[in-house]
Amino acid sequence: MVVTAADYAHSDEEIDIEMFDSDVELSKVTRTSQSPKITYESDSDFEDHKPKRGTSVKRSSTRGRGRGRGRGGVSSSAAKRKAADATTDENVAEDEFDIQSTPKPRRGRPPREGKPAASKPKAGRGRKKTTVSRDISDDEDDGDYSLSARAATKRSAGAKGKARQTTLDDISLPIKEPVYDPAKTKALAEQYPDHYWNQLVAPKATSDRIDLIDEENQLELLPYNISDQMAMTGISISPDGTMLATFGSTGQVNVWDTETFECLTSLRDMSEPNIDEFFVGQFTPNSEYLIVGGKLKDRKRWSEADEDNHILPCPLKIFNVLTGEVVARLEGHSEEILCLKSVVYNGENYYVTTSQDGYIRRWHMDSDWVVLLDSKEVEDGVTCMAFTVSFVPNTGNRFFVASTDDHVTLMDLERCAIVQRFDPIYSSYCDCGKFVELVEQPVVQEIQPAASTSGDASDNADAAAGEGSSDPASDNTVPAASTFATEPSTPYAYFITRGVELLDAENNTVSSRPNTCTLHRLVYPTDPDGKFELQEIRRYYHDEYLSNSWLIRITSNGRYLLAPTLNGQVFVFSIATGHVTGILRDHDTIEVRDCKFHPTKNLLFTCSDDGTVKVYRSVFKPKQQQKEEDTCANLAAPNEVEAVGVDGADGQQKALQDSVEPESPQTVAVSPLASLKEGIETLAVREVDEVHGKDVAESS
């Protein structure tokens, strides 16, 4: 049987018949119970009432469905048809109503009497439909066109050689380029090697950097006074190692000579009406400019929530080191800037910054590192606080790992997007992380208590709970039998993090978890868009290591990990064994914020909220020599105990100063900033001469 509109029940509502791949495409039938049948007595009557092309003879609504030409509007022909309906004979019998819609007349003349004109299917948009005649039996007539029937229709159409319907297999989708491609990443790394992430930037033969810190190679405090009336929140060393910049809460940047430790210049934005605080900074490659970032506070507005002045949007400021002028301001972050890195990727210069506003921003700079080309945020709507970034070794500086909230996140510099998030490491914040190249292979060990003839099980358990004791010379633990970390067959890099634990004990004043630093191994995938794996190798901790304060930065020379604390100490952990090899206690009992090894000299710098920067050097003293010195000291003053602290005795400091041997000309690096420093001195001399000349003129 053939389904027609007459087979459907009469209704006052509109009837919409769906269109299928059938022999004749069914047109939409719309009918109301109050629509009489229209007849035409002559051609002139038809011409007055004929519908326009593209419209039905009778519609129950004047709104279009959006497929024909007059979408949603009321045409003049519709008004004529409405008027014609109103003038139709009212005495028409009810049996004269026909539920079939009047067929659309052929163009130019009315249909023949007694034989309705065949309706012509509309030409649809898009791909061409193939229609095949098919009779539907009474058993199959369930008001729908089954899937099997549609499949048979398509097979029949294909068999006849007609145009078949396009499927998804026929559509060629664009090939998505993988985010991480090992082959392309390797080629990029060979073209743009990333030397800066490696702490061992110079061979040992041409540098005198600190290598060993142990009982025989001890760190001694040098008597240099690097201080200011502010909290020292960060330090930065110039690329050639000749200058040291210190940042603090007074909005002033001091630049020091790393040979004489004299202050070369002080930088301040004299045009800033609000309050500057600088946390981080970095020299440009030629050391001509210094870019700094931190906090900007409203001088006239107080914040009860912060218990400080209200925070304003915090810009990056670029200073000319010679003139002290601010040559550029980079706007983008709404809160404090916590980290700043400069990087060269694919031949282009970039700054990468993190902020307390939770965003990581990429700044594309011109070749002079001063002119901003564009800026873009990493797409991340989850992170609350972003702390530090460290670029993944041997990836051409495309990928970096950011310390975000309580975990670390792998990100793509090119696309400014997140590649992979890793599981949480600490219960509160993971505020620092950096890649290092290890000198010694780390030992993966289970801590076992040392053999003891006295003490109970609890004492042994306490001994097993820490990697070291308060005395660096003694150790309460021994490694288990075995075992160096097996190297994976795929590329990898070592990554160290430190974090802050949640205050959940003693009325939320202390943490029930010990503070630790963690050594990880980041294993690269071998397949395009494979998953990175972050493996935990070991943790470093001590019963006196207290660092439950955020914005503390760790450092490493590849052999040792230096971890500052909140009470003025710096712990020195052996990365391979986890043992404590030294503790520096020369700062006041307040947070030590940052520490850095000099890249070529035998120097170590630490800065603290006490407003000072401490300078150390490594001195080799054999154990026999140390015993003799200790014996002589005990004989000379048996009742006195010397304490090496921040303020040592004048004689001791004098002796230490006299013991500092001048470096040989072979080990002193030739500074490319000699002209810059000479210019600073020249400007200072000119200012003195001008003042002296004025005084002489006034006296005369």
Side-chain angles (χ1 to χ4, degrees):
M1 58 175 287
V2 178
V3 179
T4 63
D7 296 328
Y8 287 89
H10 178 67
S11 174
D12 291 341
E13 299 178 353
E14 295 183 4
I15 301 174
D16 292 339
I17 301 178
E18 297 292 334
M19 300 166 60
F20 302 101
D21 295 333
S22 59
D23 53 345
V24 177
E25 181 179 340
L26 298 178
S27 301
K28 180 178 60 181
V29 179
T30 305
R31 180 77 175 175
T32 63
S33 60
Q34 301 299 326
S35 300
K37 185 176 180 181
I38 304 175
T39 58
Y40 304 98
E41 297 180 357
S42 62
D43 291 345
S44 61
D45 293 336
F46 171 76
E47 291 297 327
D48 292 337
H49 301 286
K50 69 177 181 179
K52 289 189 176 182
R53 185 173 56 178
T55 61
S56 301
V57 174
K58 190 66 180 176
R59 290 182 183 268
S60 61
S61 174
T62 58
R63 295 186 59 191
R65 294 295 298 272
R67 176 168 291 198
R69 289 186 178 178
R71 296 188 179 183
V74 181
S75 62
S76 59
S77 60
K80 290 181 179 180
R81 289 195 302 273
K82 189 173 181 180
D85 293 342
T87 57
T88 308
D89 187 7
E90 298 180 356
N91 297 325
V92 179
E94 191 168 322
D95 56 351
E96 293 181 5
F97 285 84
D98 188 3
I99 64 171
Q100 272 191 328
S101 62
T102 304
K104 180 179 178 180
R106 299 176 63 184
R107 186 178 181 184
R109 64 176 183 270
R112 293 183 182 180
E113 203 173 297
K115 187 177 181 181
S119 61
K120 183 179 180 181
K122 297 181 181 179
R125 297 184 182 183
R127 59 178 180 265
K128 182 179 179 181
K129 288 188 177 181
T130 303
T131 58
V132 179
S133 299
R134 181 176 183 270
D135 292 339
I136 303 176
S137 62
D138 294 336
D139 296 335
E140 294 175 333
D141 186 13
D142 56 355
D144 195 3
Y145 200 6
S146 64
L147 295 176
S148 60
R150 295 175 64 184
T153 301
K154 293 181 180 180
R155 288 194 298 268
S156 300
K160 293 183 179 180
K162 296 182 180 180
R164 66 183 182 86
Q165 187 173 358
T166 304
T167 63
L168 292 177
D169 297 335
D170 301 325
I171 302 175
S172 59
L173 299 175
I175 300 176
K176 182 181 178 181
E177 183 179 357
V179 176
Y180 179 81
D181 189 333
K184 291 184 178 180
T185 302
K186 182 179 179 180
L188 185 65
E190 293 175 353
Q191 185 177 2
Y192 302 100
D194 45 358
H195 297 293
Y196 75 92
W197 70 269
N198 186 353
Q199 294 287 342
L200 309 178
V201 295
K204 183 64 178 175
T206 60
S207 68
D208 195 25
R209 67 177 183 271
I210 296 177
D211 186 24
L212 296 174
I213 306 173
D214 52 26
E215 190 176 356
E216 292 186 343
N217 299 271
Q218 298 181 2
L219 293 176
E220 289 187 350
L221 178 66
L222 299 182
Y224 298 126
N225 181 24
I226 301 179
S227 62
D228 202 342
Q229 296 179 352
M230 63 178 180
M232 293 283 192
T233 54
I235 53 179
S236 178
I237 303 174
S238 61
D240 63 343
T242 60
M243 293 188 293
L244 173 72
T246 59
F247 315 103
S249 58
T250 62
Q252 180 171 293
V253 180
N254 295 325
V255 181
W256 308 79
D257 189 338
T258 57
E259 295 179 6
T260 63
F261 293 98
E262 297 177 352
C263 185
L264 299 175
T265 185
S266 296
L267 309 176
R268 178 184 290 274
D269 186 3
M270 305 303 296
S271 63
E272 179 59 64
N274 295 296
I275 304 173
D276 264 329
E277 291 185 10
F278 297 131
F279 297 160
V280 293
Q282 202 165 36
F283 288 90
T284 55
N286 60 0
S287 299
E288 182 179 359
Y289 301 99
L290 180 65
I291 180 170
V292 298
K295 182 191 297 186
L296 185 63
K297 301 187 295 186
D298 193 334
R299 190 178 296 275
K300 301 180 180 180
R301 185 179 174 187
W302 183 259
S303 173
E304 294 293 342
D306 298 330
E307 296 182 354
D308 198 354
N309 292 73
H310 179 72
I311 303 297
L312 297 173
C314 303
L316 290 171
K317 296 185 178 182
I318 303 179
F319 287 92
N320 185 306
V321 178
L322 177 61
T323 64
E325 297 178 355
V326 177
V327 297
R329 291 169 58 101
L330 309 182
E331 306 280 352
H333 286 294
S334 61
E335 296 186 35
E336 296 96 316
I337 296 173
L338 304 180
C339 179
L340 167 65
K341 293 287 185 181
S342 61
V343 64
V344 177
Y345 168 66
N346 208 10
E348 299 291 332
N349 300 333
Y350 295 94
Y351 293 125
V352 179
T353 56
T354 66
S355 173
Q356 193 170 337
D357 60 14
Y359 290 99
I360 298 175
R361 181 172 286 272
R362 182 194 71 185
W363 313 82
H364 187 192
M365 307 302 294
D366 204 356
S367 58
D368 59 356
W369 293 92
V370 174
V371 179
L372 177 65
L373 301 180
D374 65 76
S375 176
K376 186 177 181 181
E377 289 179 348
V378 175
E379 299 174 0
D380 180 9
V382 177
T383 300
C384 177
M385 295 183 67
F387 296 99
T388 63
V389 298
S390 184
F391 281 83
V392 181
N394 302 320
T395 60
N397 292 335
R398 176 173 179 179
F399 301 97
F400 62 90
V401 173
S403 300
T404 54
D405 296 337
D406 57 355
H407 59 278
V408 294
T409 306
L410 180 66
M411 299 188 177
D412 183 2
L413 178 69
E414 180 179 306
R415 300 187 304 118
C416 277
I418 294 176
V419 178
Q420 187 175 343
R421 294 185 190 271
F422 298 99
D423 293 335
I425 306 172
Y426 306 99
S427 60
S428 183
Y429 288 118
C430 176
D431 64 347
C432 188
K434 58 179 55 183
F435 286 97
V436 295
E437 182 181 17
L438 299 188
V439 178
E440 299 175 346
Q441 191 70 9
V443 177
V444 179
Q445 62 183 18
E446 295 181 2
I447 304 303
Q448 296 178 350
S452 176
T453 58
S454 63
D456 55 11
S458 61
D459 294 334
N460 292 337
D462 293 338
E467 287 283 314
S469 66
S470 59
D471 184 6
S474 64
D475 195 88
N476 294 333
T477 59
V478 294
S482 139
T483 72
F484 290 95
T486 57
E487 296 187 3
S489 58
T490 59
Y492 65 92
Y494 285 104
F495 185 69
I496 300 178
T497 63
R498 65 137 267 151
V500 178
E501 302 295 349
L502 193 64
L503 301 179
D504 56 357
E506 298 183 13
N507 295 326
N508 297 331
T509 57
V510 297
S511 175
S512 60
R513 303 173 181 84
N515 295 125
T516 62
C517 297
T518 309
L519 175 66
H520 310 268
R521 183 165 53 199
L522 182 68
V523 182
Y524 304 176
T526 57
D527 299 328
D529 275 349
K531 291 292 184 180
F532 286 78
E533 183 181 0
L534 190 66
Q535 303 173 350
E536 182 175 320
I537 304 300
R538 67 175 309 131
R539 294 211 175 197
Y540 306 94
Y541 55 97
H542 187 273
D543 54 0
E544 293 185 4
Y545 174 61
L546 305 175
S547 63
N548 217 44
S549 178
W550 63 306
L551 295 183
I552 291 178
R553 303 177 186 90
I554 57 176
T555 191
S556 174
N557 66 346
R559 192 186 301 274
Y560 299 98
L561 166 66
L562 270 65
T565 67
L566 55 79
N567 56 358
Q569 302 180 4
V570 179
F571 277 75
V572 182
F573 293 99
S574 170
I575 295 180
T577 64
H579 296 162
V580 176
T581 63
I583 303 176
L584 306 178
R585 297 186 174 95
D586 300 303
H587 285 285
D588 290 343
T589 56
I590 197 171
E591 284 89 347
V592 179
R593 293 296 182 184
D594 201 356
C595 52
K596 280 185 171 54
F597 286 98
H598 195 283
T600 57
K601 297 180 181 180
N602 181 15
L603 295 174
L604 169 69
F605 305 97
T606 63
C607 72
S608 170
D609 283 352
D610 62 7
T612 63
V613 174
K614 303 300 179 183
V615 185
Y616 298 89
R617 69 166 186 169
S618 178
V619 178
F620 175 72
K621 291 183 179 180
K623 292 183 178 180
Q624 184 63 29
Q625 180 181 350
Q626 294 181 32
K627 291 181 179 179
E628 293 177 358
E629 291 179 356
D630 294 341
T631 302
C632 294
N634 292 333
L635 291 176
N639 297 326
E640 295 181 3
V641 179
E642 290 189 4
V644 179
V646 178
D647 298 318
D650 295 339
Q652 181 187 9
Q653 295 290 341
K654 177 62 177 173
L656 181 60
Q657 185 174 3
D658 294 339
S659 65
V660 177
E661 299 178 358
E663 293 178 322
S664 61
Q666 290 79 6
T667 60
V668 176
V670 179
S671 173
L673 299 179
S675 59
L676 180 61
K677 298 167 76 172
E678 183 180 355
I680 294 175
E681 295 175 358
T682 304
L683 290 176
V685 170
R686 287 179 182 176
E687 292 178 358
V688 172
D689 291 342
E690 290 177 359
V691 174
H692 181 68
K694 290 180 180 179
D695 294 340
V696 172
E698 291 176 359
S699 62
S700 63

